[in-house]
Amino acid sequence: MGESPPTGTTMRSKRQYFDLMLALPKKSPHIIVRRLIIGTPENMAWITSLVDTYRGVRNVSIGVYEPPSRLFPSLSMLFFDEHYLFLMNIATRPPGQYRDIKVSSKEVVSIMDSLYEQMWQAATIVLDTGAVQESQLSQFLTRMRATTS
């Protein structure tokens, strides 16, 4: 979860990752995808684009999480199952240096899964199993536009 969209990245590996994430839900409909995105004005266009991309794709839901404070950087988590988790982009580092962590402790994965679930429950769901939640999307966009005025 970044405070700005990945769409403008020049890093090849990051671009490949996000391209894969765009294609995966349609290619693998048996995989349930719940994507949380930090609600920032910078992410508005990207969120709208993702909602349009996944409209009607029943295995995809998108939540917009608006943290109560920006004191700490966002934490991106990628869950595979109850055994593996990747913590993504933990620190800003030069290209070629490690910045992601693979976690294989079932206990840690369980705790992080609980954190993700708490964030999901606090999020504004703008796409629910492929169905656009027009009212929630509109309210989110209105809040973000108000912060940039």
Side-chain angles (χ1 to χ4, degrees):
M1 284 193 304
E3 294 184 14
S4 59
T7 50
T9 186
T10 57
M11 282 183 58
R12 189 171 149 256
S13 59
K14 189 174 182 180
R15 182 78 250 149
Q16 288 173 329
Y17 167 78
F18 281 101
D19 288 346
L20 175 65
M21 290 298 103
L22 278 174
L24 179 70
K26 292 180 181 179
K27 289 170 71 173
S28 304
H30 62 283
I31 296 175
I32 303 299
V33 176
R34 289 194 322 170
R35 182 175 215 147
L36 272 175
I37 302 170
I38 295 247
T40 63
E42 295 82 9
N43 280 338
M44 283 178 17
W46 184 46
I47 291 167
T48 303
S49 171
L50 288 174
V51 167
D52 289 340
T53 297
Y54 294 122
R55 180 185 305 265
V57 181
R58 299 199 47 132
N59 61 324
V60 178
S61 297
I62 297 173
V64 178
Y65 181 70
E66 297 172 68
S69 169
R70 297 257 195 267
L71 294 176
F72 300 100
S74 58
L75 180 64
S76 294
M77 299 177 272
L78 176 62
F79 292 89
F80 282 97
D81 56 27
E82 66 274 3
H83 296 98
Y84 296 102
L85 153 76
F86 279 90
L87 300 175
M88 313 290 283
N89 200 18
I90 299 300
T92 303
R93 302 187 71 186
Q97 290 188 3
Y98 291 109
R99 61 188 186 107
D100 305 332
I101 300 171
K102 179 182 178 183
V103 178
S104 57
S105 163
K106 193 171 183 175
E107 293 81 13
V108 174
V109 172
S110 176
I111 290 168
M112 297 306 287
D113 184 58
S114 295
L115 172 62
Y116 188 89
E117 187 60 36
Q118 289 172 3
M119 293 168 67
W120 184 263
Q121 294 302 319
T124 302
I125 307 305
V126 296
L127 187 75
D128 189 11
T129 59
V132 178
Q133 306 300 297
E134 299 290 351
S135 175
Q136 288 85 343
L137 180 59
S138 176
Q139 289 172 19
F140 162 70
L141 294 173
T142 298
R143 281 193 307 276
M144 290 301 104
R145 287 184 189 115
T147 65
T148 59
S149 313

